[in-house]
Amino acid sequence: MAHIALNSDEPGIRGLLRFRPETARPLNALAEVLLRGESTLSRGDRELIAAYVSSLNRCKFCYSSHAAFAAAQLAEGMELVEQVRADLDAAPVSPKLRALLGIAGAVQQGGQQVSDKDVAAARAEGATDVEIHDTVLIAAAFCMFNRYVDGLATFAPDDPEVYAMAAQRVITEGYGSTTPPVERPA
């Protein structure tokens, strides 16, 4: 049961977006740019970063959602997502992505945990300044999203199919597809 009375039975952040459409717009716009906008990192890789941080934060709704979104866009699917979650060092990802996920994990611990060594390791594997920037911003944004969802005790379904269906909608329509209209009094 959520800590506040929501005007929707939708789970996780979707119910919160319905509750405050004014805040939904900028939050969805941020997710759209970070996870679906133009980038040298694939959409699947960026969703994997979001899922990884959500896993570290133990946010069931955000992890389940973004794990499904990543799996739907990565050739290796959910198996890879689960391998990264279980053991990043042993997961079969590129050295560059491993280094970027390491930076994301450091951000999850606290912004000041990102070290020169972390950044140098990512650069040594070919990460650009934009990729490093976007990784840090995705990780920071997902710390906020995770705390928003869990801080208001939203509902997270157990059925993986719920997340798989949402993944198809986000992949084809984008994050703006979940933005409810702002209702103005007449």
Side-chain angles (χ1 to χ4, degrees), residues 88-104:
L88 174 59
D89 293 332
V93 295
S94 71
K96 178 173 94 171
L97 184 56
R98 184 182 328 283
L100 291 172
L101 286 163
I103 288 173

Side-chain angles (χ1 to χ4, degrees), residues 7 12-25 27-28 148 175 178-180:
N7 55 355
I13 200 167
R14 292 185 356 230
L16 299 174
L17 298 176
R18 289 256 176 245
F19 181 76
R20 283 294 302 249
E22 308 87 329
T23 60
R25 254 181 209 69
L27 293 175
N28 277 333
Y148 182 38
Y175 284 94
T178 62
T179 304

Side-chain angles (χ1 to χ4, degrees), residues 21-97:
E22 308 87 329
T23 60
R25 254 181 209 69
L27 293 175
N28 277 333
L30 179 61
E32 183 73 19
V33 168
L34 291 176
L35 301 175
R36 293 175 39 87
E38 193 171 312
S39 177
T40 53
L41 296 174
S42 75
R43 288 179 177 179
D45 288 347
R46 289 177 281 162
E47 290 285 1
L48 184 59
I49 293 167
Y52 181 64
V53 169
S54 297
S55 172
L56 294 174
N57 283 325
R58 297 187 318 267
C59 182
K60 179 181 175 181
F61 179 82
C62 293
Y63 171 74
S64 298
S65 296
H66 294 280
F69 301 173
Q73 297 178 90
L74 294 169
E76 304 87 350
M78 189 59 78
E79 183 177 340
L80 177 63
V81 176
E82 289 294 341
Q83 288 174 314
V84 167
R85 179 185 197 187
D87 184 358
L88 174 59
D89 293 332
V93 295
S94 71
K96 178 173 94 171
L97 184 56

Side-chain angles (χ1 to χ4, degrees), residues 9-12 14 60-61 64-65 154-160 162-163:
D9 290 335
E10 292 183 83
R14 292 185 356 230
K60 179 181 175 181
F61 179 82
S64 298
S65 296
T154 63
F155 170 67
D158 291 324
D159 183 0
V162 170
Y163 303 103

